[in-house]
Amino acid sequence: MRVAVLQATGLVNSAAENLRRLSSQAREARRRGADLLVTPELFVSGYAPTLVHTKDGTVHREQLAAIAREYAIGLVASTVEHEGGRHYISASFFNAEGTELTRYRKQNLFGSSEKSVFTPGADAPAIVEFHGANVALGICFDVEFPEFVRAAALAGAELLCVPTAVPLRESDSTGAQPFDTRLIPSMVVPTRALESQVYIAYANHAGPHFAGLSTIADPYGRHLSAAAADGELIVANINLNTLSQARRDTDYLSRFAPGTEANTNEGHQ
C-alpha cells in the first residue's frame, strides 16, 4: 500500500477553502500512486478548539466522503463530532468509494482549550482492513503515550494513521523555550513505531505556529519520508514484509502481549 500524508495548516472557520485545498491534494496524492491520504487534526474547520467546537462536522464528513469517492482514494480526516450534547474531536477513515469504514474519538485531550470544550472518547480505535493492511486511527496527543500505540498494535494494527495539530511552544518570560515540540514528530513518533512495531502516518499542521515535520515512520523507527513546508505532500510505501521482518528481529509484541510471560533471555541484546 502506498500512503500519502498532507502537511498543511487549516484556516479557522474557512471550511470551503480548506476543502478546496484538500481536494487538490487528494488529486495529487492519487496521481503519485497513493492509495490512502492522511490529513491533519481538525483541518477542515481549522484547529482552534474554542472557536470551532460548536459546529458539528456532519456536513464536513459528507464532503470528505465525496472527495474520497471522486479521486478513488482512501482518506483519513478529522472533524468535530456532536452527540448527546457532547463534543468530540474525531477522525474518520473513508475508503475509495466514500464509505466511512470507522470513526474514532480522541481519547487523550491536550491543553486547557481542548479540555474546556471537548469530551474525551471512551473507546479504543477499531482495526479495519484496507489494501491488505490492518489500519487503526489515533489523534495527536494519543500517539505520545506508548500504551496507546502498544494497545493498537496488540489488537492487530499494522498501520496507525494520526491526524495531528502540535503547536510550537512560546518562550517563557525569560526567553527560554522549555520544550521543543518538534521533538514529537522527529523523535517520539518513530520511537513509537519502533517499540510497538507498526507503521505510523502522522499528519501535522505547519509553521509558523505548528511544529510541522509530518512523517511516515516504519517499524524500525526510520523516517521513510518527512515534510518541511506548508502544503507539502509526502508519500511512502507500507511494506508488510518489512513489518514481519521487524517483528521477527525483535519480538516486542509477543513478549508483552496479555497472557504471556516476558522472556528476557533471548533477543538482539
Side-chain angles (χ1 to χ4, degrees):
M1 178 169 55
R2 193 160 172 82
V3 176
V5 165
L6 173 63
Q7 176 165 289
T9 303
L11 304 174
V12 176
N13 285 323
S14 297
E17 172 61 17
N18 294 335
L19 284 162
R20 184 196 66 77
R21 294 172 67 199
L22 194 155
S23 178
S24 175
Q25 293 291 348
R27 182 176 62 248
E28 174 62 15
R30 197 71 188 100
R31 188 191 69 79
R32 293 172 61 181
D35 304 296
L36 174 63
L37 172 63
V38 184
T39 61
E41 181 180 10
L42 296 182
F43 178 77
V44 176
S45 63
Y47 180 82
T50 59
L51 298 179
V52 305
H53 72 283
T54 58
K55 185 173 182 179
D56 179 63
T58 297
V59 172
H60 294 164
R61 288 187 289 274
E62 292 172 354
Q63 293 165 317
L64 291 162
I67 291 171
R69 186 165 52 248
E70 179 178 1
Y71 298 110
I73 191 169
L75 178 63
V76 173
S78 170
T79 58
V80 174
E81 182 183 2
H82 290 183
E83 184 180 71
R86 295 179 177 179
H87 304 159
Y88 302 92
I89 299 176
S90 70
S92 297
F93 185 3
F94 303 95
N95 68 12
E97 290 75 44
T99 301
E100 188 176 25
L101 300 178
T102 187
R103 190 184 307 167
Y104 163 74
R105 292 169 174 172
K106 185 176 184 178
Q107 290 182 310
N108 296 287
L109 300 177
F110 178 80
S112 58
S113 61
E114 286 189 11
K115 293 176 181 178
S116 69
V117 294
F118 287 113
T119 298
D123 297 327
I127 309 296
V128 297
E129 191 275 335
F130 185 76
H131 281 252
N134 292 329
V135 183
L137 305 180
I139 302 175
C140 199
F141 200 35
D142 287 331
V143 80
E144 297 181 40
F145 295 90
E147 301 86 354
F148 178 89
V149 181
R150 176 58 59 85
L154 289 173
E158 297 165 323
L159 168 65
L160 184 64
C161 296
V162 187
T164 295
V166 174
L168 291 169
R169 298 283 182 91
E170 295 182 2
S171 300
D172 63 21
S173 59
T174 68
Q177 173 51 267
F179 178 55
D180 183 354
T181 56
R182 290 172 296 185
L183 292 172
I184 302 303
S186 65
M187 183 178 71
V188 173
V189 171
T191 298
R192 294 289 170 269
L194 169 67
E195 69 194 6
S196 287
Q197 299 180 313
V198 293
Y199 283 91
I200 299 179
Y202 183 88
N204 197 8
H205 295 253
H209 302 297
F210 292 89
L213 300 178
S214 300
T215 189
I216 303 169
D218 81 354
Y220 284 105
R222 301 175 296 200
H223 292 278
L224 298 182
S225 188
D230 185 50
E232 185 172 356
L233 192 71
I234 59 173
V235 182
N237 292 325
I238 303 303
N239 188 323
L240 296 185
N241 290 331
T242 300
L243 180 70
S244 296
Q245 184 61 54
R247 291 180 176 182
R248 287 194 298 269
D249 287 344
T250 310
D251 56 342
Y252 293 133
L253 295 184
S254 65
R255 288 171 179 241
F256 296 99
T260 64
E261 183 177 352
N263 182 345
T264 59
N265 296 322
E266 301 177 1
H268 69 284
Q269 293 184 340

